[in-house]
Amino acid sequence: MPSTLFRASLAAADARCEESAREEIVSFQKSVGYDGRFRYPNFSDVGSVWLRLIKSKESEFLATIVQSLDAAPSIDEGLLAEIESVVGELLHDDHYLGRLDQFLGMVTRKAASYGVRFSPEACSFNLADAAYRCGVQNSLRAARSGIFRALQLHISKSGVAMNFSRLMTDTISVIKKTGQRFEGVKASVQSDKIFISGSDVLIESGDLIQRKMSNGGEETFEVIDPGFHEKFHSIPAGYQMNVKKLGIPEAQQALNVTTINMNGHGARVYQNSTDNSTNIITANADAQEYIKALRDAIQGANLQPAEKQAAGEVIDVVEGQIQSGRPSKPVVSALLASLPQAANVATIVTSLLSMF
């Protein structure tokens, strides 16, 4: 399929999805009004429309891509690069991150038209927006990876010769049960599967896979079935792992099991004069206490259920940053600033930030 036609097909799929979401957004816009009291929709509900939109685009784009590949006389690096480019453009973070903020602008202008002063702080907009932005970044990353994973499977089944390395868009760490760690391994990470092209690293059931995301978050997976396959014609040897995503407590416990405990901060083990030790430093216990205190403060605050849920999601991201071992202070500060100023939240936040 010529490049221009392929782009047009994906652009048409994008437009269809946007139109469907636009109808929902328009209904929210119409609900903004004044009847003796200024009324507006829940911002988290508005944001969820765009999060569902991303999922819808993933499905539509994939169907369009598969149809295009089936119609193509051959699959080469040029076509794959074109797919990657177009998907990257249409599912770029910049197209989605500011949408809830733009909706707020509409609400504020409408309030002004009624002579009403609308305060975003009064409705915990910053909290909803922070949760929305985190959700957008995670959803877009999952959508892009999901498309390329499905593309990889489709191409594998077709037996077409090509370079699979372009499909490996994630960088992971493999942590063996012995504590040995392999960094910088290229992979394609999904919710319950991880694909690796190559057999340089021996991966076994029970090993751990860690992925650090561009938003500062971190995910840990346990390998259930390595799914190793030898080279077959043009398809390189590699792994199609079945994995289980671990929650934060599970991940911390699993990582502690594979840690070699030594005396002294950052102590190492040397094997045959080569540094093969694993330094996994448990997140500061005080920080974990502050995280727990934040959760308790939010749950005990006089907030709407949706606001408590959004605040909990923000705290989850902050906890992930801390447990990554390399938290970004600007990211953590921005997230904590979005929490509602209820009960002892401000005091706890100040204490937590003082640790960085």
Side-chain angles (χ1 to χ4, degrees):
M1 173 179 283
S3 173
T4 52
L5 289 179
F6 175 73
R7 282 181 171 270
S9 296
L10 273 184
D14 183 79
R16 289 194 299 272
C17 294
E18 287 284 356
E19 182 59 32
S20 178
R22 190 176 296 112
E23 293 176 2
E24 291 189 72
I25 294 300
V26 168
S27 68
F28 278 124
Q29 291 173 337
K30 291 180 177 178
S31 71
V32 179
Y34 185 80
D35 58 1
R37 176 184 176 187
F38 184 62
R39 300 188 181 279
Y40 54 91
N42 182 294
F43 287 105
S44 294
D45 291 342
V46 176
S48 68
V49 173
W50 290 309
L51 294 178
R52 291 196 301 273
L53 168 65
I54 294 170
K55 189 65 179 174
S56 174
K57 286 188 178 184
E58 177 185 356
S59 177
E60 285 288 324
F61 287 3
L62 182 56
T64 301
I65 292 169
V66 168
Q67 185 178 18
S68 299
L69 291 178
D70 288 342
S74 63
I75 303 173
D76 57 23
E77 284 290 321
L79 179 57
L80 184 58
E82 183 71 7
I83 292 173
E84 184 178 17
S85 174
V86 179
V87 170
E89 290 172 13
L90 294 176
L91 295 180
H92 195 281
D93 291 15
D94 291 347
H95 295 321
Y96 305 87
L97 287 175
R99 294 193 181 194
L100 194 58
D101 193 54
Q102 292 171 2
F103 189 89
L104 170 68
M106 181 278 297
V107 172
T108 302
R109 290 190 298 273
K110 212 160 189 180
S113 71
Y114 293 113
V116 175
R117 183 180 179 278
F118 179 73
S119 171
E121 292 77 16
C123 63
S124 301
F125 173 78
N126 288 341
L127 177 60
D129 191 49
Y132 167 72
R133 287 171 177 268
C134 288
V136 162
Q137 290 176 321
N138 290 335
S139 296
L140 286 172
R141 184 179 183 86
R144 292 189 293 261
S145 296
I147 289 172
F148 292 128
R149 179 199 60 161
L151 176 60
Q152 180 188 28
L153 288 174
H154 185 80
I155 296 173
S156 296
K157 291 176 181 177
S158 70
V160 176
M162 64 181 304
N163 181 5
F164 281 81
S165 62
R166 186 184 290 274
L167 299 173
M168 304 300 166
T169 57
D170 297 298
T171 302
I172 63 171
S173 301
V174 178
I175 305 169
K176 303 288 296 175
K177 288 182 287 187
T178 59
Q180 189 176 15
R181 189 177 185 117
F182 297 89
E183 304 282 359
V185 179
K186 299 302 292 181
S188 175
V189 178
Q190 313 307 319
S191 59
D192 58 357
K193 288 186 179 294
I194 296 178
F195 298 84
I196 295 177
S197 180
S199 54
D200 298 339
V201 179
L202 173 62
I203 299 177
E204 303 169 286
S205 298
D207 289 345
L208 300 178
I209 305 293
Q210 274 192 324
R211 177 180 73 163
K212 288 182 172 60
M213 297 177 286
S214 59
N215 63 1
E218 185 175 81
E219 294 179 320
T220 302
F221 301 83
E222 179 184 357
V223 177
I224 305 302
D225 180 4
F228 178 75
H229 59 84
E230 295 288 356
K231 183 176 187 233
F232 179 74
H233 296 292
S234 61
I235 303 173
Y239 294 91
Q240 295 184 12
M241 291 177 270
N242 290 322
V243 297
K244 172 189 174 185
K245 184 176 179 180
L246 304 180
I248 291 175
E250 286 181 292
Q252 189 62 44
Q253 182 179 7
L255 289 169
N256 286 338
V257 169
T258 62
T259 301
I260 301 174
N261 296 309
M262 300 292 291
N263 292 325
H265 181 72
R268 292 182 175 273
V269 171
Y270 290 89
Q271 192 175 65
N272 298 327
S273 298
T274 301
D275 182 4
N276 290 314
S277 64
T278 299
N279 277 156
I280 303 173
I281 300 173
T282 303
N284 189 293
D286 291 338
Q288 293 301 312
E289 286 297 320
Y290 289 135
I291 290 293
K292 181 179 183 301
L294 270 179
R295 294 190 195 281
D296 292 343
I298 292 297
Q299 288 304 312
N302 185 22
L303 300 170
Q304 294 297 319
E307 292 176 316
K308 289 185 178 181
Q309 180 180 351
E313 291 173 356
V314 171
I315 295 173
D316 285 343
V317 177
V318 171
E319 185 175 25
Q321 280 271 326
I322 292 172
Q323 293 194 341
S324 73
R326 289 182 292 275
S328 167
K329 185 172 182 179
V331 171
V332 172
S333 298
L335 288 168
L336 291 176
S338 71
L339 292 174
Q341 300 302 303
N344 298 319
V345 170
T347 302
I348 300 169
V349 166
T350 300
S351 299
L352 183 55
L353 288 175
S354 69
M355 301 181 63
F356 291 87

mmCIF file with all atom_site columns, all heavy atoms in Angstrom, residues 90-109:
data_model
loop_
_atom_site.group_PDB
_atom_site.id
_atom_site.type_symbol
_atom_site.label_atom_id
_atom_site.label_alt_id
_atom_site.label_comp_id
_atom_site.label_asym_id
_atom_site.label_entity_id
_atom_site.label_seq_id
_atom_site.pdbx_PDB_ins_code
_atom_site.Cartn_x
_atom_site.Cartn_y
_atom_site.Cartn_z
_atom_site.occupancy
_atom_site.B_iso_or_equiv
_atom_site.pdbx_formal_charge
_atom_site.auth_seq_id
_atom_site.auth_comp_id
_atom_site.auth_asym_id
_atom_site.auth_atom_id
_atom_site.pdbx_PDB_model_num
ATOM 1   N N   . LEU A 1 90  ? 0.024   9.955  15.765 1.00 0.00 ? 90  LEU A N   1
ATOM 2   C CA  . LEU A 1 90  ? -1.389  9.995  16.164 1.00 0.00 ? 90  LEU A CA  1
ATOM 3   C C   . LEU A 1 90  ? -1.586  9.683  17.647 1.00 0.00 ? 90  LEU A C   1
ATOM 4   O O   . LEU A 1 90  ? -2.580  10.110 18.244 1.00 0.00 ? 90  LEU A O   1
ATOM 5   C CB  . LEU A 1 90  ? -2.193  9.008  15.315 1.00 0.00 ? 90  LEU A CB  1
ATOM 6   C CG  . LEU A 1 90  ? -2.277  9.341  13.813 1.00 0.00 ? 90  LEU A CG  1
ATOM 7   C CD1 . LEU A 1 90  ? -3.017  8.237  13.068 1.00 0.00 ? 90  LEU A CD1 1
ATOM 8   C CD2 . LEU A 1 90  ? -2.978  10.678 13.601 1.00 0.00 ? 90  LEU A CD2 1
ATOM 9   N N   . LEU A 1 91  ? -0.664  8.918  18.227 1.00 0.00 ? 91  LEU A N   1
ATOM 10  C CA  . LEU A 1 91  ? -0.764  8.573  19.653 1.00 0.00 ? 91  LEU A CA  1
ATOM 11  C C   . LEU A 1 91  ? 0.336   9.267  20.451 1.00 0.00 ? 91  LEU A C   1
ATOM 12  O O   . LEU A 1 91  ? 0.879   8.709  21.397 1.00 0.00 ? 91  LEU A O   1
ATOM 13  C CB  . LEU A 1 91  ? -0.684  7.054  19.833 1.00 0.00 ? 91  LEU A CB  1
ATOM 14  C CG  . LEU A 1 91  ? -1.828  6.246  19.243 1.00 0.00 ? 91  LEU A CG  1
ATOM 15  C CD1 . LEU A 1 91  ? -1.626  4.751  19.491 1.00 0.00 ? 91  LEU A CD1 1
ATOM 16  C CD2 . LEU A 1 91  ? -3.173  6.689  19.838 1.00 0.00 ? 91  LEU A CD2 1
ATOM 17  N N   . HIS A 1 92  ? 0.640   10.492 20.079 1.00 0.00 ? 92  HIS A N   1
ATOM 18  C CA  . HIS A 1 92  ? 1.653   11.267 20.803 1.00 0.00 ? 92  HIS A CA  1
ATOM 19  C C   . HIS A 1 92  ? 1.022   11.916 22.029 1.00 0.00 ? 92  HIS A C   1
ATOM 20  O O   . HIS A 1 92  ? -0.122  12.394 21.987 1.00 0.00 ? 92  HIS A O   1
ATOM 21  C CB  . HIS A 1 92  ? 2.246   12.344 19.892 1.00 0.00 ? 92  HIS A CB  1
ATOM 22  C CG  . HIS A 1 92  ? 3.508   12.944 20.425 1.00 0.00 ? 92  HIS A CG  1
ATOM 23  N ND1 . HIS A 1 92  ? 3.520   13.912 21.413 1.00 0.00 ? 92  HIS A ND1 1
ATOM 24  C CD2 . HIS A 1 92  ? 4.809   12.691 20.130 1.00 0.00 ? 92  HIS A CD2 1
ATOM 25  C CE1 . HIS A 1 92  ? 4.760   14.237 21.692 1.00 0.00 ? 92  HIS A CE1 1
ATOM 26  N NE2 . HIS A 1 92  ? 5.566   13.520 20.933 1.00 0.00 ? 92  HIS A NE2 1
ATOM 27  N N   . ASP A 1 93  ? 1.760   11.940 23.125 1.00 0.00 ? 93  ASP A N   1
ATOM 28  C CA  . ASP A 1 93  ? 1.240   12.493 24.380 1.00 0.00 ? 93  ASP A CA  1
ATOM 29  C C   . ASP A 1 93  ? 0.672   13.906 24.221 1.00 0.00 ? 93  ASP A C   1
ATOM 30  O O   . ASP A 1 93  ? -0.340  14.265 24.838 1.00 0.00 ? 93  ASP A O   1
ATOM 31  C CB  . ASP A 1 93  ? 2.347   12.531 25.445 1.00 0.00 ? 93  ASP A CB  1
ATOM 32  C CG  . ASP A 1 93  ? 2.755   11.143 25.904 1.00 0.00 ? 93  ASP A CG  1
ATOM 33  O OD1 . ASP A 1 93  ? 2.402   10.159 25.229 1.00 0.00 ? 93  ASP A OD1 1
ATOM 34  O OD2 . ASP A 1 93  ? 3.456   11.037 26.934 1.00 0.00 ? 93  ASP A OD2 1
ATOM 35  N N   . ASP A 1 94  ? 1.325   14.725 23.405 1.00 0.00 ? 94  ASP A N   1
ATOM 36  C CA  . ASP A 1 94  ? 0.943   16.136 23.294 1.00 0.00 ? 94  ASP A CA  1
ATOM 37  C C   . ASP A 1 94  ? -0.478  16.322 22.773 1.00 0.00 ? 94  ASP A C   1
ATOM 38  O O   . ASP A 1 94  ? -1.094  17.368 23.006 1.00 0.00 ? 94  ASP A O   1
ATOM 39  C CB  . ASP A 1 94  ? 1.914   16.870 22.370 1.00 0.00 ? 94  ASP A CB  1
ATOM 40  C CG  . ASP A 1 94  ? 3.297   17.017 22.983 1.00 0.00 ? 94  ASP A CG  1
ATOM 41  O OD1 . ASP A 1 94  ? 3.427   16.777 24.205 1.00 0.00 ? 94  ASP A OD1 1
ATOM 42  O OD2 . ASP A 1 94  ? 4.247   17.358 22.251 1.00 0.00 ? 94  ASP A OD2 1
ATOM 43  N N   . HIS A 1 95  ? -1.017  15.337 22.062 1.00 0.00 ? 95  HIS A N   1
ATOM 44  C CA  . HIS A 1 95  ? -2.375  15.463 21.529 1.00 0.00 ? 95  HIS A CA  1
ATOM 45  C C   . HIS A 1 95  ? -3.446  15.272 22.601 1.00 0.00 ? 95  HIS A C   1
ATOM 46  O O   . HIS A 1 95  ? -4.620  15.585 22.360 1.00 0.00 ? 95  HIS A O   1
ATOM 47  C CB  . HIS A 1 95  ? -2.606  14.424 20.426 1.00 0.00 ? 95  HIS A CB  1
ATOM 48  C CG  . HIS A 1 95  ? -1.743  14.620 19.219 1.00 0.00 ? 95  HIS A CG  1
ATOM 49  N ND1 . HIS A 1 95  ? -1.440  15.863 18.702 1.00 0.00 ? 95  HIS A ND1 1
ATOM 50  C CD2 . HIS A 1 95  ? -1.096  13.739 18.413 1.00 0.00 ? 95  HIS A CD2 1
ATOM 51  C CE1 . HIS A 1 95  ? -0.671  15.738 17.654 1.00 0.00 ? 95  HIS A CE1 1
ATOM 52  N NE2 . HIS A 1 95  ? -0.434  14.452 17.460 1.00 0.00 ? 95  HIS A NE2 1
ATOM 53  N N   . TYR A 1 96  ? -3.082  14.766 23.764 1.00 0.00 ? 96  TYR A N   1
ATOM 54  C CA  . TYR A 1 96  ? -4.086  14.368 24.751 1.00 0.00 ? 96  TYR A CA  1
ATOM 55  C C   . TYR A 1 96  ? -3.907  15.017 26.125 1.00 0.00 ? 96  TYR A C   1
ATOM 56  O O   . TYR A 1 96  ? -4.885  15.223 26.842 1.00 0.00 ? 96  TYR A O   1
ATOM 57  C CB  . TYR A 1 96  ? -4.076  12.838 24.917 1.00 0.00 ? 96  TYR A CB  1
ATOM 58  C CG  . TYR A 1 96  ? -4.275  12.104 23.611 1.00 0.00 ? 96  TYR A CG  1
ATOM 59  C CD1 . TYR A 1 96  ? -3.188  11.795 22.794 1.00 0.00 ? 96  TYR A CD1 1
ATOM 60  C CD2 . TYR A 1 96  ? -5.544  11.730 23.177 1.00 0.00 ? 96  TYR A CD2 1
ATOM 61  C CE1 . TYR A 1 96  ? -3.361  11.139 21.583 1.00 0.00 ? 96  TYR A CE1 1
ATOM 62  C CE2 . TYR A 1 96  ? -5.722  11.072 21.967 1.00 0.00 ? 96  TYR A CE2 1
ATOM 63  C CZ  . TYR A 1 96  ? -4.624  10.786 21.167 1.00 0.00 ? 96  TYR A CZ  1
ATOM 64  O OH  . TYR A 1 96  ? -4.798  10.151 19.971 1.00 0.00 ? 96  TYR A OH  1
ATOM 65  N N   . LEU A 1 97  ? -2.667  15.310 26.507 1.00 0.00 ? 97  LEU A N   1
ATOM 66  C CA  . LEU A 1 97  ? -2.408  15.740 27.886 1.00 0.00 ? 97  LEU A CA  1
ATOM 67  C C   . LEU A 1 97  ? -3.172  16.997 28.293 1.00 0.00 ? 97  LEU A C   1
ATOM 68  O O   . LEU A 1 97  ? -3.599  17.123 29.436 1.00 0.00 ? 97  LEU A O   1
ATOM 69  C CB  . LEU A 1 97  ? -0.900  15.958 28.083 1.00 0.00 ? 97  LEU A CB  1
ATOM 70  C CG  . LEU A 1 97  ? -0.048  14.686 28.161 1.00 0.00 ? 97  LEU A CG  1
ATOM 71  C CD1 . LEU A 1 97  ? 1.432   15.045 28.227 1.00 0.00 ? 97  LEU A CD1 1
ATOM 72  C CD2 . LEU A 1 97  ? -0.435  13.851 29.375 1.00 0.00 ? 97  LEU A CD2 1
ATOM 73  N N   . GLY A 1 98  ? -3.341  17.943 27.380 1.00 0.00 ? 98  GLY A N   1
ATOM 74  C CA  . GLY A 1 98  ? -3.956  19.218 27.751 1.00 0.00 ? 98  GLY A CA  1
ATOM 75  C C   . GLY A 1 98  ? -5.458  19.278 27.582 1.00 0.00 ? 98  GLY A C   1
ATOM 76  O O   . GLY A 1 98  ? -6.064  20.336 27.804 1.00 0.00 ? 98  GLY A O   1
ATOM 77  N N   . ARG A 1 99  ? -6.095  18.183 27.224 1.00 0.00 ? 99  ARG A N   1
ATOM 78  C CA  . ARG A 1 99  ? -7.524  18.233 26.897 1.00 0.00 ? 99  ARG A CA  1
ATOM 79  C C   . ARG A 1 99  ? -8.404  18.558 28.105 1.00 0.00 ? 99  ARG A C   1
ATOM 80  O O   . ARG A 1 99  ? -9.377  19.311 27.992 1.00 0.00 ? 99  ARG A O   1
ATOM 81  C CB  . ARG A 1 99  ? -7.977  16.919 26.255 1.00 0.00 ? 99  ARG A CB  1
ATOM 82  C CG  . ARG A 1 99  ? -7.347  16.665 24.898 1.00 0.00 ? 99  ARG A CG  1
ATOM 83  C CD  . ARG A 1 99  ? -8.024  15.539 24.155 1.00 0.00 ? 99  ARG A CD  1
ATOM 84  N NE  . ARG A 1 99  ? -7.392  15.286 22.863 1.00 0.00 ? 99  ARG A NE  1
ATOM 85  C CZ  . ARG A 1 99  ? -7.917  14.561 21.900 1.00 0.00 ? 99  ARG A CZ  1
ATOM 86  N NH1 . ARG A 1 99  ? -9.100  13.978 22.089 1.00 0.00 ? 99  ARG A NH1 1
ATOM 87  N NH2 . ARG A 1 99  ? -7.279  14.382 20.753 1.00 0.00 ? 99  ARG A NH2 1
ATOM 88  N N   . LEU A 1 100 ? -8.092  17.980 29.249 1.00 0.00 ? 100 LEU A N   1
ATOM 89  C CA  . LEU A 1 100 ? -8.915  18.257 30.428 1.00 0.00 ? 100 LEU A CA  1
ATOM 90  C C   . LEU A 1 100 ? -8.749  19.705 30.865 1.00 0.00 ? 100 LEU A C   1
ATOM 91  O O   . LEU A 1 100 ? -9.701  20.353 31.301 1.00 0.00 ? 100 LEU A O   1
ATOM 92  C CB  . LEU A 1 100 ? -8.552  17.299 31.567 1.00 0.00 ? 100 LEU A CB  1
ATOM 93  C CG  . LEU A 1 100 ? -9.549  17.252 32.736 1.00 0.00 ? 100 LEU A CG  1
ATOM 94  C CD1 . LEU A 1 100 ? -10.934 16.851 32.248 1.00 0.00 ? 100 LEU A CD1 1
ATOM 95  C CD2 . LEU A 1 100 ? -9.077  16.282 33.805 1.00 0.00 ? 100 LEU A CD2 1
ATOM 96  N N   . ASP A 1 101 ? -7.542  20.236 30.722 1.00 0.00 ? 101 ASP A N   1
ATOM 97  C CA  . ASP A 1 101 ? -7.290  21.635 31.055 1.00 0.00 ? 101 ASP A CA  1
ATOM 98  C C   . ASP A 1 101 ? -8.084  22.553 30.122 1.00 0.00 ? 101 ASP A C   1
ATOM 99  O O   . ASP A 1 101 ? -8.605  23.592 30.549 1.00 0.00 ? 101 ASP A O   1
ATOM 100 C CB  . ASP A 1 101 ? -5.793  21.926 30.951 1.00 0.00 ? 101 ASP A CB  1
ATOM 101 C CG  . ASP A 1 101 ? -5.429  23.265 31.580 1.00 0.00 ? 101 ASP A CG  1
ATOM 102 O OD1 . ASP A 1 101 ? -5.766  23.477 32.759 1.00 0.00 ? 101 ASP A OD1 1
ATOM 103 O OD2 . ASP A 1 101 ? -4.818  24.100 30.883 1.00 0.00 ? 101 ASP A OD2 1
ATOM 104 N N   . GLN A 1 102 ? -8.187  22.175 28.852 1.00 0.00 ? 102 GLN A N   1
ATOM 105 C CA  . GLN A 1 102 ? -8.976  22.955 27.904 1.00 0.00 ? 102 GLN A CA  1
ATOM 106 C C   . GLN A 1 102 ? -10.464 22.918 28.273 1.00 0.00 ? 102 GLN A C   1
ATOM 107 O O   . GLN A 1 102 ? -11.175 23.919 28.140 1.00 0.00 ? 102 GLN A O   1
ATOM 108 C CB  . GLN A 1 102 ? -8.770  22.416 26.492 1.00 0.00 ? 102 GLN A CB  1
ATOM 109 C CG  . GLN A 1 102 ? -7.366  22.658 25.951 1.00 0.00 ? 102 GLN A CG  1
ATOM 110 C CD  . GLN A 1 102 ? -7.104  21.922 24.643 1.00 0.00 ? 102 GLN A CD  1
ATOM 111 O OE1 . GLN A 1 102 ? -7.995  21.251 24.105 1.00 0.00 ? 102 GLN A OE1 1
ATOM 112 N NE2 . GLN A 1 102 ? -5.896  22.021 24.132 1.00 0.00 ? 102 GLN A NE2 1
ATOM 113 N N   . PHE A 1 103 ? -10.921 21.750 28.740 1.00 0.00 ? 103 PHE A N   1
ATOM 114 C CA  . PHE A 1 103 ? -12.316 21.644 29.174 1.00 0.00 ? 103 PHE A CA  1
ATOM 115 C C   . PHE A 1 103 ? -12.552 22.552 30.372 1.00 0.00 ? 103 PHE A C   1
ATOM 116 O O   . PHE A 1 103 ? -13.603 23.206 30.466 1.00 0.00 ? 103 PHE A O   1
ATOM 117 C CB  . PHE A 1 103 ? -12.645 20.195 29.526 1.00 0.00 ? 103 PHE A CB  1
ATOM 118 C CG  . PHE A 1 103 ? -14.106 19.949 29.786 1.00 0.00 ? 103 PHE A CG  1
ATOM 119 C CD1 . PHE A 1 103 ? -14.975 19.609 28.756 1.00 0.00 ? 103 PHE A CD1 1
ATOM 120 C CD2 . PHE A 1 103 ? -14.626 20.063 31.065 1.00 0.00 ? 103 PHE A CD2 1
ATOM 121 C CE1 . PHE A 1 103 ? -16.326 19.394 28.991 1.00 0.00 ? 103 PHE A CE1 1
ATOM 122 C CE2 . PHE A 1 103 ? -15.967 19.846 31.323 1.00 0.00 ? 103 PHE A CE2 1
ATOM 123 C CZ  . PHE A 1 103 ? -16.827 19.510 30.274 1.00 0.00 ? 103 PHE A CZ  1
ATOM 124 N N   . LEU A 1 104 ? -11.585 22.618 31.272 1.00 0.00 ? 104 LEU A N   1
ATOM 125 C CA  . LEU A 1 104 ? -11.694 23.531 32.422 1.00 0.00 ? 104 LEU A CA  1
ATOM 126 C C   . LEU A 1 104 ? -11.842 24.965 31.941 1.00 0.00 ? 104 LEU A C   1
ATOM 127 O O   . LEU A 1 104 ? -12.634 25.737 32.500 1.00 0.00 ? 104 LEU A O   1
ATOM 128 C CB  . LEU A 1 104 ? -10.447 23.399 33.304 1.00 0.00 ? 104 LEU A CB  1
ATOM 129 C CG  . LEU A 1 104 ? -10.312 24.463 34.404 1.00 0.00 ? 104 LEU A CG  1
ATOM 130 C CD1 . LEU A 1 104 ? -11.385 24.297 35.463 1.00 0.00 ? 104 LEU A CD1 1
ATOM 131 C CD2 . LEU A 1 104 ? -8.925  24.380 35.048 1.00 0.00 ? 104 LEU A CD2 1
ATOM 132 N N   . GLY A 1 105 ? -11.078 25.347 30.910 1.00 0.00 ? 105 GLY A N   1
ATOM 133 C CA  . GLY A 1 105 ? -11.185 26.701 30.378 1.00 0.00 ? 105 GLY A CA  1
ATOM 134 C C   . GLY A 1 105 ? -12.579 27.005 29.891 1.00 0.00 ? 105 GLY A C   1
ATOM 135 O O   . GLY A 1 105 ? -13.103 28.112 30.109 1.00 0.00 ? 105 GLY A O   1
ATOM 136 N N   . MET A 1 106 ? -13.213 26.030 29.236 1.00 0.00 ? 106 MET A N   1
ATOM 137 C CA  . MET A 1 106 ? -14.579 26.215 28.765 1.00 0.00 ? 106 MET A CA  1
ATOM 138 C C   . MET A 1 106 ? -15.534 26.418 29.937 1.00 0.00 ? 106 MET A C   1
ATOM 139 O O   . MET A 1 106 ? -16.401 27.300 29.918 1.00 0.00 ? 106 MET A O   1
ATOM 140 C CB  . MET A 1 106 ? -14.998 24.996 27.932 1.00 0.00 ? 106 MET A CB  1
ATOM 141 C CG  . MET A 1 106 ? -16.420 25.053 27.348 1.00 0.00 ? 106 MET A CG  1
ATOM 142 S SD  . MET A 1 106 ? -17.727 24.561 28.508 1.00 0.00 ? 106 MET A SD  1
ATOM 143 C CE  . MET A 1 106 ? -17.278 22.852 28.819 1.00 0.00 ? 106 MET A CE  1
ATOM 144 N N   . VAL A 1 107 ? -15.366 25.596 30.986 1.00 0.00 ? 107 VAL A N   1
ATOM 145 C CA  . VAL A 1 107 ? -16.219 25.704 32.169 1.00 0.00 ? 107 VAL A CA  1
ATOM 146 C C   . VAL A 1 107 ? -16.038 27.074 32.826 1.00 0.00 ? 107 VAL A C   1
ATOM 147 O O   . VAL A 1 107 ? -17.018 27.728 33.218 1.00 0.00 ? 107 VAL A O   1
ATOM 148 C CB  . VAL A 1 107 ? -15.895 24.583 33.174 1.00 0.00 ? 107 VAL A CB  1
ATOM 149 C CG1 . VAL A 1 107 ? -16.646 24.810 34.497 1.00 0.00 ? 107 VAL A CG1 1
ATOM 150 C CG2 . VAL A 1 107 ? -16.265 23.219 32.600 1.00 0.00 ? 107 VAL A CG2 1
ATOM 151 N N   . THR A 1 108 ? -14.795 27.519 32.928 1.00 0.00 ? 108 THR A N   1
ATOM 152 C CA  . THR A 1 108 ? -14.511 28.820 33.560 1.00 0.00 ? 108 THR A CA  1
ATOM 153 C C   . THR A 1 108 ? -15.138 29.959 32.776 1.00 0.00 ? 108 THR A C   1
ATOM 154 O O   . THR A 1 108 ? -15.727 30.885 33.357 1.00 0.00 ? 108 THR A O   1
ATOM 155 C CB  . THR A 1 108 ? -12.988 29.022 33.656 1.00 0.00 ? 108 THR A CB  1
ATOM 156 O OG1 . THR A 1 108 ? -12.401 27.950 34.396 1.00 0.00 ? 108 THR A OG1 1
ATOM 157 C CG2 . THR A 1 108 ? -12.665 30.340 34.354 1.00 0.00 ? 108 THR A CG2 1
ATOM 158 N N   . ARG A 1 109 ? -15.042 29.909 31.439 1.00 0.00 ? 109 ARG A N   1
ATOM 159 C CA  . ARG A 1 109 ? -15.633 30.967 30.611 1.00 0.00 ? 109 ARG A CA  1
ATOM 160 C C   . ARG A 1 109 ? -17.157 30.972 30.717 1.00 0.00 ? 109 ARG A C   1
ATOM 161 O O   . ARG A 1 109 ? -17.796 32.034 30.762 1.00 0.00 ? 109 ARG A O   1
ATOM 162 C CB  . ARG A 1 109 ? -15.212 30.779 29.152 1.00 0.00 ? 109 ARG A CB  1
ATOM 163 C CG  . ARG A 1 109 ? -13.735 31.078 28.887 1.00 0.00 ? 109 ARG A CG  1
ATOM 164 C CD  . ARG A 1 109 ? -13.431 31.111 27.398 1.00 0.00 ? 109 ARG A CD  1
ATOM 165 N NE  . ARG A 1 109 ? -13.680 29.826 26.757 1.00 0.00 ? 109 ARG A NE  1
ATOM 166 C CZ  . ARG A 1 109 ? -12.791 28.843 26.689 1.00 0.00 ? 109 ARG A CZ  1
ATOM 167 N NH1 . ARG A 1 109 ? -11.595 28.987 27.260 1.00 0.00 ? 109 ARG A NH1 1
ATOM 168 N NH2 . ARG A 1 109 ? -13.079 27.707 26.076 1.00 0.00 ? 109 ARG A NH2 1
#
